[in-house]
Amino acid sequence: MPVAPLSANQLRRKCDPSVFNFQDTSFLTPSRGLIGQQRAVEATEFGLSIQYDGYNLYMAGEPGVGKTRYALECAQRQARYMPTPDDWCYVYNFEDSNRPKAINLPAGMGKEFKKDMEDFVKVIEQEISKAFDGEEYEEERSRIIKVFRDKKDELVLKLSNQASERGFRVKLANSGVYFMPIIDGEPLSEEDFRALDEETKIELSKSSEALQKETAETIRKIRELEMDAENAIQEWEHQIALYAVGIHIEDLKNKYNEYPLIISYLDAVREDILMNIEELAGPRYSDEQQNIVTQFLMKKGGEDNPYSRYKVNLLVDNSRLRGAPVIVDYNPTYYNLMGRCEYENELGTMITDYTLIKPGLFHQANGGFLILQINDVISNPQAFEAIKRTLKTRQIVIENIKEQMGLVAVSALKPEPIPVNVKIIFVGSPEIYHILYNYDRDFKKFFKIKADFDDHMDWNDENVQRLAQYIGAFCRKEGVKHFDRTGVAEVVNYSSWIVQDQNKLTTRFSEIVNILGEAGTWANIEGSPIVSERHVKKAIAEKKKRSNKYHKELLELIREGTLLIDTDGYKVGQINGLAVVNLGDYTFGKPSRITAATYMGKTGILDIEREAETGGTTHSKGVLILSGYIGKKYAQEKPLSLAASICFEQLYSGIEGDSASSAELFAILSSLSELPVYQGLAVTGSVNQMGDIQPIGGTTFKIEGFFEICKINGLTGKQGVIIPYQNIKNLVLSDEVVEAVEKGLFHIYPIKTVDEGIELLTGVPAGEKLPDGTYPPGTVNDRVYKKLHYFAETTAKYL
């Protein structure tokens, strides 16, 4: 039974505006939740709820399906019911200044603790300055020094008396103690001493040696007195400092008595103040001078100001946060993720300290969610490794990446690592997910939840209504004019066109959004108060027009006759095949002339595209299948003896895919049967060894592409395209093609088998196989069968 062409209503599915019970989208309540992604929704909700290690998420799907937006909405919804994480601070480590200590406090208390320490520093700076500049301090210090001097004077007097008894006078100098011999009450000069007799010199020398021993003992006692005086002064200063600082320290300890780390830090602060009281007290200035010095030190900061080490670096401040943090970032460099120690230039030297430690994304998202684009992660060196290392160790370690990689030896801070509890959400393509899952041994340990987003959804009443609500929400958000029922219906039709399926709608809402905005703009240009069907069609047409330059140039080459494509008449061994050209932003169908030549031989089917290396592997596979079909159908009694060549004429850019394998087979059968093929019919579809026609992609583009050429050469009423029967549901043809079919000027034939196709192309019955293995005389299969047997018998004579 001949194959009937498709009716016009089978060529596309149109949304009826009457299914909508609203006048325009302004009457609709905005749609909540993700449309048409039930699998992804369930996986995401489960992944966000489970709290075990390794259950981070990877949201896989094509661009534009709303993965990032949905991840953000779900994470924010979940975060509202989670506890607000602690604040984190870095403080000075008095035992090792290169290893700042990390301290956590409940949300909001970090800022409070920082302010308390700032106030504490201001107060103790004034208290210490006031205490050491006061009269009481000076009087006590003078008293201690006076006691020391009195005892020292007693020792020196005693030593002087001992020297007088031995005939010497004591002379004190900065360089030491000297003894001068006395004769007749007058000190001897060096000349007088040399003039003495030897016996007197010996006596003086013995007396001098005895005095030296007594002097050494006196000096030892004086030094002990000095040490006692220093200790007494230091003890007094400590008492003053302790009095000035102790009350304030105790006040802070009482306030933060529930936090052991704070108590330990405050104890260390007190000890450091007592140990460095002289440095903190500093030199004595007048009141005016002291104010100038204080202002200078406060501006300068750093190690030059001894009080700067009591500052608090508030790394993470969650005081304004309600619930857990949700962080989205599009530049996850290593330092942006992990934090860094910044440097300052001081007199040509790069210096840093704990107050210059800056937080990273892990610090900000600690206790909550971190959403990252996987493309951004893998394009930044060390970022992916840093994420895995952080998830593995559950610690945020701030370090210099150059030092970590061994590139340079940098003396840097080693801040104490901070414990981390964060759920990572990667957003990316399915291809990257599978690459990481199969080739990165750690990925599957840390990303156990995959939320797979579809790029299409079912065309049903629920999804159509939700799409209408989405359009209304977009119009409100972006200030676009609302769509009436015809406009919404046309957007639904466009959504079906995007996925090339009569039963599906796209979930790539980024493409829908583009058309919504452009249709709204055309309505503005026209001055229309509402967006209707014609504005949507105008937006779609103009969008195609902006990108169809190459397509128009190709049609011009065909019109000029530079590219040879026949759309009428009959040719043996020649057929029009159909391919799809995808330029990224524009896709169209491109007909190609396929020719086949058959002759005696044993070489089989020669694929010229494969030999010239312009054919892809899938195309080559399709050609190899043809030999299997021909052998199975026509060479059961005698061996197959066939030499054939097939070629895509005027094709220089290469071909891939097996969608032309049926057209290639029809060309070979035409050549073998010597029956001409009608050139007004183009063919697409793959074939298997059993002779079944199999579905292919891009059916709509291919049909429209051939229709354009037929229109250029003139529609005859007999032209059309042969497609696989399974691809009927993929037809979303343009108004122009549908109108031509309605008028009988163009035809679409769906076939299931090779025999159905060859009958359409040649107008001759294919012929069913008879019980004796032959075919009815005059049929296509009979002519092919006899030709192949003739080839086999003739070839055998020459062997």
Side-chain angles (χ1 to χ4, degrees):
M1 183 175 178
V3 176
L6 296 175
S7 62
N9 60 6
Q10 291 178 285
L11 303 183
R12 65 181 175 187
R13 179 179 177 182
K14 293 198 70 174
C15 179
D16 185 357
S18 65
V19 302
F20 301 115
N21 57 2
F22 55 84
Q23 183 176 352
D24 60 63
T25 53
S26 65
F27 293 90
L28 296 177
T29 302
S31 173
R32 297 190 177 278
L34 206 58
I35 306 175
Q37 301 285 3
Q38 189 60 31
R39 180 195 299 109
V41 168
E42 292 175 357
T44 302
E45 290 178 351
F46 176 76
L48 294 179
S49 300
I50 192 168
Q51 299 301 318
Y52 300 114
D53 288 349
Y55 283 88
N56 299 289
L57 285 82
Y58 187 104
M59 308 188 88
E62 296 300 319
V65 298
K67 301 184 297 296
T68 303
R69 178 182 63 85
Y70 183 67
L72 178 60
E73 290 177 356
C74 284
Q76 289 175 336
R77 186 166 58 247
Q78 182 82 5
R80 294 191 193 104
Y81 304 100
M82 295 172 63
T84 304
D86 288 347
D87 295 339
W88 281 94
C89 311
Y90 271 116
V91 296
Y92 188 79
N93 186 342
F94 297 102
E95 295 178 356
D96 186 349
S97 61
N98 286 327
R99 297 182 179 273
K101 286 185 173 294
I103 293 178
N104 62 309
L105 286 165
M109 290 195 67
K111 181 164 63 174
E112 191 173 345
F113 177 58
K114 178 180 180 180
K115 185 177 186 307
D116 286 343
M117 289 304 297
E118 289 174 350
D119 293 341
F120 169 76
V121 168
K122 291 179 182 177
V123 170
I124 64 167
E125 191 171 5
Q126 294 174 358
E127 292 283 349
I128 290 175
S129 176
K130 186 187 299 181
F132 284 87
D133 288 341
E135 294 181 1
E136 184 181 353
Y137 168 75
E138 290 297 335
E139 288 176 359
E140 181 61 19
R141 189 171 185 276
S142 298
R143 186 190 66 78
I144 294 172
I145 293 173
K146 184 177 183 303
V147 171
F148 160 73
R149 287 177 177 172
D150 290 344
K151 291 182 178 180
K152 178 183 177 183
D153 290 343
E154 289 179 5
L155 291 174
V156 172
L157 180 59
K158 181 179 179 182
L159 180 63
S160 179
N161 293 334
Q162 292 174 346
S164 297
E165 292 174 359
R166 296 179 180 275
F168 286 89
R169 179 181 295 175
V170 177
K171 182 179 181 182
L172 298 176
N174 292 333
S175 57
V177 180
Y178 300 94
F179 298 99
M180 302 177 63
I182 302 297
I183 300 289
D184 297 329
E186 294 294 332
L188 293 179
S189 64
E190 291 185 8
E191 293 181 358
D192 294 336
F193 182 78
R194 285 196 293 268
L196 296 175
D197 57 72
E198 290 300 322
E199 184 177 351
T200 304
K201 289 180 180 180
I202 292 172
E203 285 294 329
L204 289 173
S205 295
K206 289 180 179 181
S207 297
S208 176
E209 290 176 2
L211 279 175
Q212 291 291 344
K213 293 179 180 180
E214 294 173 358
T215 301
E217 179 64 19
T218 301
I219 291 174
R220 183 186 65 78
K221 292 179 180 180
I222 290 174
R223 287 176 177 171
E224 289 179 354
L225 288 173
E226 289 176 346
M227 292 180 61
D228 290 343
E230 289 178 2
N231 291 335
I233 293 173
Q234 190 175 30
E235 181 64 26
W236 171 241
E237 289 178 342
H238 281 191
Q239 290 179 10
I240 294 175
L242 189 59
Y243 177 78
V245 174
I247 297 175
H248 304 292
I249 288 286
E250 290 302 319
D251 288 344
L252 290 175
K253 290 176 70 174
N254 290 334
K255 181 175 181 178
Y256 298 97
N257 62 348
E258 296 180 5
Y259 310 105
L261 291 176
I262 299 293
I263 299 300
S264 176
Y265 170 69
L266 292 174
D267 288 338
V269 169
R270 178 170 56 188
E271 291 301 317
D272 186 74
I273 290 174
L274 296 179
M275 292 292 295
N276 298 282
I277 191 62
E278 291 185 2
E279 179 187 2
L280 295 172
R284 306 292 177 262
Y285 299 106
S286 67
D287 291 342
E288 183 178 352
Q289 291 173 328
Q290 183 64 44
N291 289 334
I292 294 173
V293 171
T294 300
Q295 291 176 8
F296 172 77
L297 291 177
M298 289 178 65
K299 289 180 180 179
K300 193 168 182 62
E303 294 298 327
D304 291 333
N305 184 355
Y307 290 97
S308 65
R309 57 178 174 265
Y310 307 130
K311 291 181 180 179
V312 173
N313 180 2
L314 181 55
L315 195 73
V316 179
D317 179 14
N318 290 322
S319 59
R320 297 184 179 179
L321 193 63
R322 298 295 178 266
V326 179
I327 303 298
V328 181
D329 192 81
Y330 297 92
N331 186 29
T333 64
Y334 175 84
Y335 289 119
N336 284 353
L337 283 167
M338 307 306 297
R340 71 182 74 203
C341 296
E342 294 186 344
Y343 290 81
E344 291 183 346
N345 189 331
E346 185 172 304
L347 301 178
T349 302
M350 302 303 292
I351 63 169
T352 186
D353 62 51
Y354 74 99
T355 63
L356 297 176
I357 299 174
K358 303 301 178 183
L361 296 172
F362 270 114
H363 297 97
Q364 299 169 26
N366 198 1
F369 305 93
L370 178 57
I371 303 173
L372 301 172
Q373 304 293 319
I374 189 62
N375 281 342
D376 298 333
V377 172
I378 61 179
S379 62
N380 279 291
Q382 295 294 311
F384 188 50
E385 293 302 318
I387 291 172
K388 292 192 297 180
R389 186 165 55 251
T390 302
L391 293 175
K392 184 182 298 182
T393 62
R394 299 184 65 82
Q395 289 184 331
I396 310 173
V397 180
I398 299 177
E399 54 187 343
N400 190 307
I401 189 173
K402 294 182 180 179
E403 184 179 12
Q404 179 192 116
M405 298 175 66
L407 298 177
V408 293
V410 179
S411 177
L413 296 179
K414 302 288 185 182
E416 181 181 357
I418 292 177
V420 67
N421 178 24
V422 65
K423 190 176 287 290
I424 305 291
I425 302 175
F426 278 159
V427 179
S429 68
E431 293 80 9
I432 294 179
Y433 173 85
H434 291 298
I435 290 172
L436 293 175
Y437 190 89
N438 290 309
Y439 295 101
D440 188 288
R441 62 182 181 181
D442 294 323
F443 179 78
K444 62 188 70 174
K445 298 178 185 177
F446 299 125
F447 292 88
K448 297 180 180 179
I449 299 294
K450 177 187 178 185
D452 212 347
F453 284 70
D454 288 322
D455 61 357
H456 59 265
M457 59 184 173
D458 292 335
W459 184 336
N460 55 40
D461 291 341
E462 179 185 356
N463 287 336
V464 168
Q465 292 297 332
R466 295 187 69 185
L467 180 56
Q469 291 176 301
Y470 176 84
I471 295 172
F474 172 82
C475 293
R476 286 186 180 90
K477 180 181 178 182
E478 301 298 331
V480 176
K481 291 180 178 179
H482 281 277
F483 286 60
D484 66 12
R485 287 180 291 182
T486 64
V488 173
E490 193 58 35
V491 172
V492 173
N493 295 335
Y494 179 67
S495 178
S496 177
W497 179 85
I498 291 174
V499 294
Q500 300 282 290
D501 196 316
Q502 296 180 5
N503 301 318
K504 303 290 182 182
L505 299 174
T506 186
T507 57
R508 298 179 66 175
F509 292 103
S510 61
E511 297 193 32
I512 297 295
V513 163
N514 293 339
I515 289 299
L516 296 181
E518 292 174 23
T521 302
W522 286 113
N524 289 337
I525 293 173
E526 188 180 294
S528 174
I530 205 82
V531 182
S532 64
E533 175 185 10
R534 69 177 182 277
H535 302 120
V536 177
K537 287 185 174 181
K538 176 73 171 177
I540 295 171
E542 291 296 323
K543 179 179 175 63
K544 292 179 180 178
K545 182 179 178 181
R546 291 193 295 269
S547 303
N548 68 356
K549 173 177 175 290
Y550 180 73
H551 187 198
K552 292 299 181 183
E553 290 178 351
L554 183 68
L555 293 177
E556 186 63 28
L557 291 174
I558 294 173
R559 180 183 289 108
E560 294 172 350
T562 304
L563 286 179
L564 304 178
I565 299 290
D566 292 332
T567 57
D568 199 12
Y570 291 83
K571 294 286 182 66
V572 174
Q574 178 177 303
I575 195 169
N576 290 320
L578 298 172
V580 172
V581 177
N582 189 341
L583 302 178
D585 62 339
Y586 184 75
T587 304
F588 63 95
K590 176 181 178 296
S592 293
R593 173 178 289 181
I594 300 174
T595 59
T598 57
Y599 41 91
M600 292 184 193
K602 291 284 189 178
T603 58
I605 300 176
L606 175 68
D607 180 9
I608 292 178
E609 306 304 327
R610 179 183 179 183
E611 296 299 317
E613 297 183 350
T614 58
T617 55
T618 306
H619 175 261
S620 298
K621 176 186 175 183
V623 174
L624 293 173
I625 288 173
L626 304 185
S627 296
Y629 169 78
I630 293 173
K632 178 182 180 300
K633 194 172 184 72
Y634 305 110
Q636 295 297 312
E637 291 81 18
K638 292 184 180 181
L640 181 65
S641 177
L642 173 66
S645 63
I646 53 176
C647 177
F648 279 74
E649 305 294 350
Q650 292 184 294
L651 180 68
Y652 311 106
S653 58
I655 186 71
E656 177 59 306
D658 63 351
S659 66
S661 58
S662 63
E664 292 168 327
L665 178 58
F666 292 140
I668 292 174
L669 295 179
S670 170
S671 178
L672 288 171
S673 66
E674 300 181 9
L675 291 171
V677 168
Y678 177 54
Q679 300 299 296
L681 290 177
V683 180
T684 184
S686 70
V687 65
N688 63 27
Q689 295 186 114
M690 302 296 109
D692 299 319
I693 301 298
Q694 301 172 141
I696 43 79
T699 312
T700 294
F701 298 115
K702 293 174 179 178
I703 294 173
E704 292 177 347
F706 188 66
F707 175 79
E708 287 288 336
I709 296 174
C710 291
K711 190 172 65 171
I712 290 173
N713 293 336
L715 293 171
T716 64
K718 297 188 298 181
Q719 296 148 330
V721 176
I722 297 173
I723 66 169
Y725 180 85
Q726 301 93 323
N727 285 121
I728 294 176
K729 66 183 180 63
N730 300 116
L731 297 178
V732 282
L733 292 168
S734 66
D735 292 343
E736 188 177 15
V737 176
V738 174
E739 183 180 349
V741 171
E742 285 179 331
K743 293 179 179 180
L745 299 176
F746 200 74
H747 309 281
I748 312 297
Y749 297 96
I751 63 172
K752 297 180 180 179
T753 64
V754 171
D755 285 349
E756 291 179 348
I758 199 66
E759 286 184 358
L760 285 169
L761 290 164
T762 62
V764 177
E768 293 289 335
K769 196 170 188 178
L770 300 175
D772 62 356
T774 62
Y775 295 90
T779 61
V780 176
N781 288 330
D782 175 61
R783 297 170 71 96
V784 173
Y785 178 81
K786 289 178 179 178
K787 175 64 74 69
L788 290 174
H789 277 238
Y790 169 74
F791 281 171
E793 292 171 356
T794 306
T795 303
K797 296 178 182 179
Y798 293 97
L799 294 177

